Amino acid sequence: MPETSVPDTSVPQLLAELAALEDPKARAVNERHGDDHGVNLGKLRALAKRLKTQQDLARGLWATDDTAAMLLALLICRPKAFERDELDAMLRQARAPKVHDWLVNYVVKKSPHAEELRVAWSADPDPVVASAGWALTTERVAKKPDGLDLPALLDVIEADMKDAPDGLQWAMNHCLAQIGIEHPEYRARAIGIGERLEVLKDYPTSPGCTSPFAPVWIAEMVRRQTA
């Protein structure tokens, strides 16, 4: 698909436009989640819709190291245009949680390099990088489990999740739940690991939302599948 361009759109102009969208209330909410920007995400998506796909502009926005600009870059880029090493470098630059999340989910998962990066990142000593590897593993558990050693994944989760840093722990817990949800033959073991480790057991959950505590999460999703 050919890229479309918006006349007279440049990185400095977009930085000024993003600055004009800055909202102190949005910044306060975002900063509680570790994201240092104050742009409403709905307005950010509207701006991306106006710009459409522009890979060169996306690279320029990413290079600013401005969180809102990096998020915009992820919305207007072409995921398959990035090389493997470029994506690796981008992940290591993506320290804001929302940038990290969007990079993995909107870009890396659509890349032909996703599997190679999954393997490399899962073994990385940086827990933020490793959490991206686990997120990609969770995607495979749900959609392309052939070739995955699920018992070995459960072994690692059982050994390491309890003491893992928060972001990595969350990603491993998601993988644990996904194994239990999608693979009945490992469900009892996944639930047992969750019950023993008690990770996120007391996590505050809003009414109507499912607890991230793996045994509860698994039970609820299985109930929905069979309802």
Side-chain angles (χ1 to χ4, degrees):
M1 181 182 294
E3 293 189 4
T4 57
S5 61
V6 177
D8 300 324
T9 301
S10 67
V11 170
Q13 289 169 330
L14 286 171
L15 288 175
E17 189 165 350
L18 290 169
L21 292 174
E22 178 81 14
D23 179 350
K25 292 182 180 178
R27 176 172 284 274
V29 171
N30 291 334
E31 286 184 341
R32 285 201 293 272
H33 298 94
D35 294 308
D36 57 340
H37 75 94
V39 179
N40 176 278
L41 294 182
K43 293 181 179 179
L44 191 74
R45 291 181 185 278
L47 176 55
K49 185 175 181 180
R50 190 190 87 206
L51 293 170
K52 301 182 181 178
T53 301
Q54 298 193 62
Q55 182 68 7
D56 290 342
L57 184 58
R59 283 194 167 102
L61 288 167
W62 183 271
T64 66
D65 202 34
D66 175 87
T67 296
M70 295 169 86
L71 290 171
L72 181 59
L74 296 172
L75 294 175
I76 67 170
C77 73
R78 285 190 294 116
K80 294 180 181 179
F82 293 107
E83 297 297 330
R84 184 256 188 224
D85 289 347
E86 189 175 11
L87 290 172
D88 182 72
M90 289 170 71
L91 185 78
R92 295 173 195 280
Q93 295 163 357
R95 308 314 282 188
K98 184 64 71 175
V99 175
H100 181 278
D101 179 63
W102 282 17
L103 175 62
V104 173
N105 287 290
Y106 296 172
V107 180
V108 180
K109 286 182 179 180
K110 299 176 183 178
S111 166
H113 310 292
E115 178 60 16
E116 183 183 354
L117 289 169
R118 180 190 75 82
V119 174
W121 288 346
S122 295
D124 198 279
D126 183 335
V128 177
V129 175
S131 70
W134 279 95
L136 295 173
T137 298
T138 301
E139 176 90 348
R140 273 206 59 189
V141 166
K143 297 182 178 180
K144 297 179 180 179
D146 290 349
L148 283 179
D149 188 340
L150 298 181
L153 286 175
L154 290 172
D155 288 345
V156 175
I157 292 168
E158 188 167 25
D160 298 342
M161 183 172 72
K162 181 74 170 180
D163 297 320
D166 288 349
L168 178 55
Q169 184 184 73
W170 187 277
M172 295 175 80
N173 182 71
H174 190 179
C175 189
L176 174 67
Q178 203 68 53
I179 291 172
I181 293 164
E182 300 291 343
H183 301 278
E185 66 272 33
Y186 300 113
R187 187 169 295 152
R189 187 180 174 199
I191 291 171
I193 290 171
E195 289 174 341
R196 285 192 300 278
L197 299 185
E198 298 187 335
V199 167
L200 300 175
K201 183 177 182 179
D202 299 320
Y203 190 85
T205 304
S206 301
C209 296
T210 302
S211 169
F213 179 48
V216 175
W217 190 352
I218 293 167
E220 174 58 22
M221 298 309 295
V222 171
R223 183 194 67 79
R224 293 182 190 181
Q225 290 173 355
T226 57

